[in-house]
């Protein structure tokens, strides 16, 4: 029998493998890419070493990433869903907006944003078909100093009471439950939405299997999305959460911030303040939005859609 014997000193140690992999990026000409790849490999190796990752667990990880690629297409973005469900999206958001500026807080964009929503008039509804209890949302867009900002734009989107965004329903009118609204001279805006309902993130793929295997639920608390933009101010991509919603303390994507939780006031059909065009019971939400002066930029990249 031919054997290869090796003394303990001759064996390549896990630490040496990690050191070699990290050092392989020493010659990377882009300093930021060098920093990213070195740290990524160092942390990836540290993870495997800490948990003593087995070969079958490594195989499962590869299978899961493969399934993530296969299920992702132009309507579904499972990679963003992983990022959201592991809290990475919120961490990146927090790192991008580190200091308290006095502006409305940001939160994740999510996978359902579609650019190019129709411009709608003051007080107009964005529901193209019945989608739940009408919600009169109104307030002002202000600077941190409390000055009204005329001509600011609110780019709004939400799910209906079927828990779905229009992009998830091929048969839905394209502009259903989304719209852009401009503030008036006094900074005021108003629109008719529907009272949002909680919905589960898509859980029929690899992320859903992870949630089920780990005893986590896929639900998000009820919310309306908006991006607020104005010339000379930093845009804010955020949500407004319904204070009466379930799951505020266990959002599947960790996006709830206390300052974004607001009460929707329930109103009777015969309430004298009922805005024109609203029938039956409705709710109202008064909400001022605050922007910090600064670079405009930061326009969200279409993240792809999730069916
Ligand atoms: Fe959402």
């Amino acid at each position: 029998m031919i054997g290869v014997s090796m003394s303990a000193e001759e064996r390549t140690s896990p630490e040496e493998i990690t050191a070699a992999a990290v050092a392989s990026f020493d010659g990377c000409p882009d300093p930021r890419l060098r920093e990213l790849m070195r740290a990524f490999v160092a942390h990836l190796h540290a993870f495997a070493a800490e948990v003593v990752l087995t070969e079958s667990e490594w195989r499962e990880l590869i299978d899961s990433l493969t399934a993530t690629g296969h299920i992702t297409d132009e309507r579904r973005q499972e990679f963003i869903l992983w990022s959201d469900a592991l809290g990475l999206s919120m961490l990146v958001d927090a790192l991008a907006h580190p200091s308290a500026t006095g502006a409305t807080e940001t939160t994740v964009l999510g996978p359902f944003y579609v650019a190019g929503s129709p411009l709608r008039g003051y007080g107009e509804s964005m529901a193209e078909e019945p989608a739940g209890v009408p919600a009169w949302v109104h307030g002002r867009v202000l600077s941190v100093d409390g000055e009204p900002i005329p001509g600011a734009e609110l780019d709004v989107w939400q799910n209906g009471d079927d828990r779905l965004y229009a992009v998830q329903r091929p048969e839905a009118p394209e502009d259903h439950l989304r719209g852009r609204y401009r503030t008036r001279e006094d900074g005021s805006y108003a629109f008719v939405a529907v009272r949002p309902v909680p919905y589960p993130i898509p859980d029929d793929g690899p992320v859903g299997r992870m949630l089920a295997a780990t005893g986590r639920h896929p639900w998000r608390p009820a919310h309306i999305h908006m991006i607020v933009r104005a010339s000379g101010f930093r845009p804010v991509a955020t949500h407004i959460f319904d204070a009466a919603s379930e799951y505020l303390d266990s959002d599947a994507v960790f996006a709830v911030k206390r300052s974004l939780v607001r009460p929707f006031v329930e109103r009777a059909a015969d309430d004298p303040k009922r805005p024109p065009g609203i029938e039956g019971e409705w709710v109202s939400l008064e909400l001022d939005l605050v922007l910090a002066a600064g670079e405009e930029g930061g326009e969200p990249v279409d993240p792809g859609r999730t069916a």
Side-chain angles (χ1 to χ4, degrees):
M1 187 178 127
I2 302 170
V4 179
S5 69
M6 219 181 254
S7 70
E9 297 82 60
E10 285 174 306
R11 291 180 67 92
T12 304
S13 70
E15 292 77 13
E16 286 173 301
I17 295 168
T18 298
V22 171
S24 72
F25 297 104
D26 287 356
C28 175
D30 178 334
R32 178 59 176 167
L33 182 59
R34 185 164 67 232
E35 180 186 13
L36 291 172
M37 291 310 298
R38 276 176 169 168
F40 176 61
V41 168
H43 285 275
L44 187 64
H45 283 227
F47 157 71
E50 180 188 322
V51 300
V52 192
L53 193 70
T54 67
E55 288 172 313
S56 68
E57 288 163 346
W58 174 84
R59 184 73 232 176
E60 252 184 80
L61 184 59
I62 298 295
D63 288 347
S64 187
L65 287 171
T66 305
T68 299
H70 286 162
I71 206 170
T72 295
D73 60 21
E74 65 281 357
R75 295 187 75 83
R76 175 155 183 164
Q77 227 312 354
E78 193 79 358
F79 287 100
I80 291 183
L81 212 53
W82 273 113
S83 171
D84 291 352
L86 298 179
L88 181 63
S89 305
M90 278 308 289
L91 178 60
V92 171
D93 173 77
L95 295 170
H97 306 98
S99 58
T101 57
T104 299
E105 284 196 284
T106 55
T107 192
V108 287
L109 186 68
F112 302 117
Y113 175 66
V114 181
S117 286
L119 197 57
R120 301 185 189 271
Y122 179 90
E124 234 177 75
S125 174
M126 59 179 189
E128 304 269 337
E129 59 186 28
V133 177
W136 174 249
V137 183
H138 65 110
R140 288 180 304 163
V141 177
L142 304 168
S143 70
V144 172
D145 305 328
E147 292 297 319
I149 305 175
E153 181 180 283
L154 284 75
D155 193 343
V156 189
W157 69 106
Q158 71 163 136
N159 58 303
D161 59 1
D162 60 358
R163 301 174 180 163
L164 297 173
Y165 288 80
V167 295
Q168 296 174 284
R169 296 169 47 217
E171 75 286 4
E174 199 187 333
D175 295 335
H176 184 48
L177 294 179
R178 64 194 192 103
R180 289 179 298 131
Y181 298 87
R182 295 253 162 87
T183 56
R184 303 190 295 190
E185 275 309 301
D186 61 354
S188 64
Y189 74 88
F191 61 88
V192 177
V194 293
R195 186 170 201 169
V197 298
Y199 65 86
I201 60 173
D203 62 351
D204 58 344
V207 172
R209 288 196 283 281
M210 177 278 289
L211 294 175
T214 57
R216 284 178 52 183
H217 71 70
W219 289 88
R220 298 215 56 212
H223 60 272
I224 296 174
H225 293 259
M226 59 178 74
I227 301 170
V228 189
R229 314 174 173 95
S231 181
F233 293 87
R234 288 184 67 172
V236 166
T238 194
H239 299 8
I240 303 307
F241 293 94
D242 183 341
S245 176
E246 266 187 278
Y247 310 113
L248 284 169
D249 57 359
S250 64
D251 184 356
V253 306
F254 311 98
V256 179
K257 293 179 174 176
R258 275 183 303 276
S259 69
L260 304 177
V261 178
R262 298 301 175 97
F264 284 68
V265 180
E266 294 182 3
R267 308 274 199 163
D270 60 359
D271 190 309
K273 292 208 169 135
R274 182 168 59 91
I278 286 185
E279 303 280 331
E281 289 181 2
W282 54 292
V283 295
S284 67
L285 170 66
E286 184 171 4
L287 174 70
D288 285 348
L289 297 151
V290 181
L291 299 182
E295 296 281 310
E296 287 168 50
E299 204 41 38
V301 176
D302 184 343
R305 300 175 191 177
T306 292

